[in-house]
Amino acid sequence: MFDRVWLNANLATMQGEGLGVIKDGAIAAREGRIAWVGPRSALPAHEAPVTDCAGAWILPGLVDCHTHLVFGGDRAGEFEARLAGASYEEIARAGGGILSTMRATRAASEAALRDAALPRLDALLAEGVTTVEIKSGYGLEAEAELKQLRVARDLARHRAVSVVTSLLAAHATPPEYAGRRADYARHVAEHIVPLAAREGLADAVDVFSDSIAFTAEEAGWVFDAARAAGLPVKLHADQLTDAGGAALAARHGALSADHLERANPEGIAAMGRAGTVAVLLPGATLVLRETHMPDVAAMRAAGVRIALSTDMNPGSSPVLSLLLMAHLGCTLFRLTVAEALRGITVNAALALGLKDRGVLAEGARCDLALYRVSRPAELCYWLGGAPCLGRVVGGVAA
């Protein structure tokens, strides 16, 4: 009947609109999925092996839905430059930023990229992450972009984790196309997107649309190519300027619009109508010392689902902790505990188009994260520490 049962646990199921708490609950798995969840007193009779959770809290396995985890080198020097007064945009226009990481990523072998990425991934897994999205975007040429995606896929062979990939070739204009941004956008649309789709390396296509990146028209070319290839789309939107990114994402039916620090209320309302998830990235807000916060009130009013993510990248968010993002979501963006925890579980899964995880519900993947806390709010409250007792991925202890 069941393959395994977890008992003597408190559950935050994420069902409904809050945390969906069940005290003294139980979870049963069969063939990698949740076969039963509810109060222990109602658990059907069974003969399955039992894990006694000793009063731990169980959440759905965490989902980090926006990372740039595979890259070469680092940008600690740019961190120092920003501390001395240089802006992110100034550094980018001077040839640093994304192009600096591009050079290091192009030069690195797949093995070197994998070996550098694994410790970063391990930091996320240690906190309870069971699904991670990984973007390309530091190759900015076909083979280097595919190399990043191959490494991202390969990480799931080395660790117990689900990896979702996004092609972000339209991240910046490479030096080969200096002064010809539109030509590069067309190259991405006409060559790189179809190639990544044919090789089965991309689960979605992302674009950076902002003052230092691509226009709405150029993003549209890439999105049209993604749609032709049968791939969903995502958008880096309205981070540095109000460029209408939120409305653009909604217009193209994007799974998510990410950043949104300067998104206007009309664009946010359009996201609500389109069902586009808002992925907020407080790590970038903190590291860049940003003072303009996403309009969370407008998101609530429009019924937009809010997710949180690390945005792990070498420049604007060198963050290795998703639980820290839950804390910053509360303290910087004024999310409630429930909003923050839903933002790293059910809503983060929806930002990736995944409806089979992020909740403790019958039929969902049996991805679990167990925590030594007295109440779920502790996961947002503490800065640092190691509350995660263990993970279950596809019904198997990891």
Side-chain angles (χ1 to χ4, degrees):
M1 183 179 185
F2 302 139
D3 296 330
R4 177 162 290 277
V5 173
W6 289 264
L7 293 176
N8 192 15
N10 300 305
L11 313 179
T13 67
M14 303 301 162
Q15 295 195 57
E17 293 302 317
L19 294 179
V21 169
I22 299 175
K23 293 289 188 71
D24 192 16
I27 299 173
R30 182 174 56 244
E31 297 180 351
R33 297 198 170 269
I34 295 175
W36 189 91
V37 60
R40 176 166 57 165
S41 60
L43 179 67
H46 65 90
E47 297 180 357
V50 170
T51 297
D52 186 336
C53 300
W57 277 86
I58 299 180
L59 271 68
L62 306 188
V63 179
D64 197 351
C65 63
H66 179 131
T67 85
H68 306 253
L69 193 146
V70 175
F71 58 85
D74 67 61
R75 288 178 8 219
E78 294 179 13
F79 175 71
E80 290 185 288
R82 285 200 304 273
L83 293 177
S87 72
Y88 181 74
E89 188 166 355
E90 288 168 345
I91 290 170
R93 293 193 184 282
I98 293 167
L99 295 184
S100 172
T101 300
M102 177 208 74
R103 292 187 287 271
T105 302
R106 286 183 178 183
S109 67
E110 289 190 19
L113 290 173
R114 181 197 65 219
D115 291 347
L118 281 171
R120 301 172 197 138
L121 178 60
D122 287 340
L124 296 178
L125 305 189
E127 290 193 338
V129 169
T130 55
T131 298
V132 60
E133 184 260 16
I134 302 176
K135 303 179 189 298
S136 63
Y138 292 128
L140 306 183
E141 63 180 8
E143 180 48 39
E145 287 289 304
L146 298 186
K147 176 174 67 173
Q148 279 190 273
L149 295 175
R150 283 194 296 268
V151 171
R153 288 271 199 247
D154 188 52
L155 294 177
R157 295 196 309 108
H158 295 270
R159 297 292 186 270
V161 65
S162 294
V163 173
V164 178
T165 57
S166 294
L167 174 69
L168 182 58
H171 196 194
T173 304
E176 297 88 348
Y177 283 83
R180 297 187 297 129
R181 185 191 62 225
D183 288 342
Y184 177 64
R186 289 194 183 279
H187 175 69
V188 172
E190 295 171 3
H191 181 63
I192 301 181
V193 169
L195 185 60
R198 281 198 303 272
E199 297 201 12
L201 291 173
D203 297 312
V205 172
D206 200 344
V207 175
F208 183 15
S209 180
D210 215 315
S211 58
I212 63 170
F214 296 89
T215 66
E217 181 182 21
E218 293 158 355
W221 301 337
V222 178
F223 285 169
D224 289 344
R227 187 176 300 108
L231 295 173
V233 300
K234 304 168 71 66
L235 187 70
H236 282 59
D238 300 330
Q239 178 186 11
L240 305 174
T241 60
D242 177 5
L248 174 67
R251 192 158 61 247
H252 285 274
L255 291 174
S256 72
D258 304 30
H259 281 293
L260 299 171
E261 287 90 333
R262 289 174 169 78
N264 61 62
E266 293 76 18
I268 291 170
M271 287 176 58
R273 292 190 295 271
T276 297
V277 177
V279 179
L280 306 187
L281 306 170
T285 299
L286 180 70
V287 172
L288 298 178
R289 296 184 291 181
E290 177 62 70
T291 58
H292 207 294
M293 303 295 164
D295 191 343
V296 170
M299 294 174 190
R300 289 173 179 144
V304 173
R305 291 184 177 271
I306 297 172
L308 292 167
S309 185
T310 60
D311 189 18
M312 181 193 295
N313 74 73
S316 62
S317 189
V319 171
L320 300 173
S321 170
L322 187 56
L323 292 181
L324 175 60
M325 298 304 94
H327 172 92
L328 293 178
C330 295
T331 56
L332 290 182
F333 298 161
R334 297 296 187 262
L335 299 182
T336 66
V337 165
E339 287 173 329
L341 294 181
R342 291 178 66 83
I344 58 176
T345 53
V346 58
N347 289 347
L350 292 175
L352 300 177
L354 301 175
K355 298 181 180 180
D356 68 340
R357 66 199 70 188
V359 293
L360 304 180
E362 291 184 19
R365 271 180 59 96
C366 189
D367 289 351
L368 314 177
L370 284 70
Y371 295 100
R372 185 191 299 107
V373 293
S374 62
R375 57 193 298 172
E378 286 195 52
L379 298 174
C380 301
Y381 167 68
W382 293 106
L383 289 171
C388 186
L389 295 168
R391 301 179 309 128
V392 174
V393 180
V396 178

